[in-house]
Amino acid sequence: MKAHVYVTLKTSVLDPQGQTIQNALRKIGYGQVDGVRQGKYFVLSLADGLAADQAREQVEKIARDVLTNPVIEEFSYRIEE
Amino acid sequence: MKAHVYVTLKTSVLDPQGQTIQNALRKIGYGQVDGVRQGKYFVLSLADGLAADQAREQVEKIARDVLTNPVIEEFSYRIEE
């Protein structure tokens, strides 16, 4: 079983790295891109014996406590059977 | 319209950062996590006038040419209407 965790900056937090990417894209001709936000992406491989709801609980805890800085970031996740 | 681009290291490439996270997780009691791979996640906001197939083409080009290092990374993406 795999869990995909997506960590992004809260929308209220400035993202200079994403802004830089957007500027670069505009300069090389991709003017249709109105904004870029960069985040982090984690793929967790989970032990096979884990039940789905147990996995969800674990992943949510890991994402909240370890992978995300709650002051400036938020997360979402997806469990893949 | 939004495009979500996920960039990960190829499976043949070592990921010491992911390995470090896995070790840390094991030490604090998450032994059910068999592996962690870290990647990057981009959210592109696209101009509203863009047709869906045009958007797909643009995003694929941007992901391939700008966001991914094809020597060690691969990407996937998802367009959200």
Side-chain angles (χ1 to χ4, degrees):
Chain A
M1 194 161 26
K2 279 189 174 177
H4 303 258
V5 180
Y6 313 102
V7 177
T8 49
L9 288 169
K10 289 181 179 171
T11 47
S12 58
V13 177
L14 289 175
D15 180 2
Q17 197 169 359
Q19 185 66 53
T20 302
I21 296 170
Q22 191 205 337
N23 290 342
L25 287 175
R26 204 186 49 238
K27 276 185 201 148
I28 60 172
Y30 296 105
Q32 307 92 328
V33 178
D34 285 339
V36 178
R37 306 278 294 176
Q38 175 159 13
K40 285 176 284 184
Y41 170 46
F42 301 91
V43 183
L44 311 180
S45 306
L46 301 170
D48 282 335
L50 221 56
D53 54 342
Q54 220 177 346
R56 204 165 300 119
E57 191 188 314
Q58 290 271 317
V59 169
E60 200 162 327
K61 240 176 141 225
I62 290 172
R64 180 173 300 114
D65 297 345
V66 184
L67 303 177
T68 305
N69 173 355
V71 179
I72 57 167
E73 293 173 332
E74 57 197 4
F75 69 90
S76 60
Y77 67 93
R78 183 169 67 80
I79 307 268
E80 186 191 310
E81 300 297 324
Chain B
M1 194 160 24
K2 280 190 173 177
H4 303 258
V5 180
Y6 313 101
V7 176
T8 49
L9 288 168
K10 289 181 180 172
T11 46
S12 57
V13 177
L14 289 175
D15 180 2
Q17 197 168 358
Q19 184 66 52
T20 302
I21 295 170
Q22 191 205 337
N23 289 343
L25 287 175
R26 204 187 49 237
K27 275 183 202 152
I28 61 174
Y30 295 105
Q32 308 90 329
V33 179
D34 285 339
V36 178
R37 305 279 293 175
Q38 175 160 13
K40 286 176 284 183
Y41 170 46
F42 302 91
V43 183
L44 310 180
S45 305
L46 301 170
D48 282 336
L50 220 56
D53 55 342
Q54 221 177 344
R56 205 164 301 119
E57 193 188 314
Q58 290 272 317
V59 168
E60 199 161 329
K61 243 178 138 221
I62 289 172
R64 180 173 300 114
D65 297 345
V66 184
L67 303 177
T68 306
N69 173 355
V71 179
I72 55 167
E73 293 172 332
E74 57 196 4
F75 68 91
S76 62
Y77 67 94
R78 182 170 68 81
I79 307 268
E80 184 190 313
E81 300 297 324

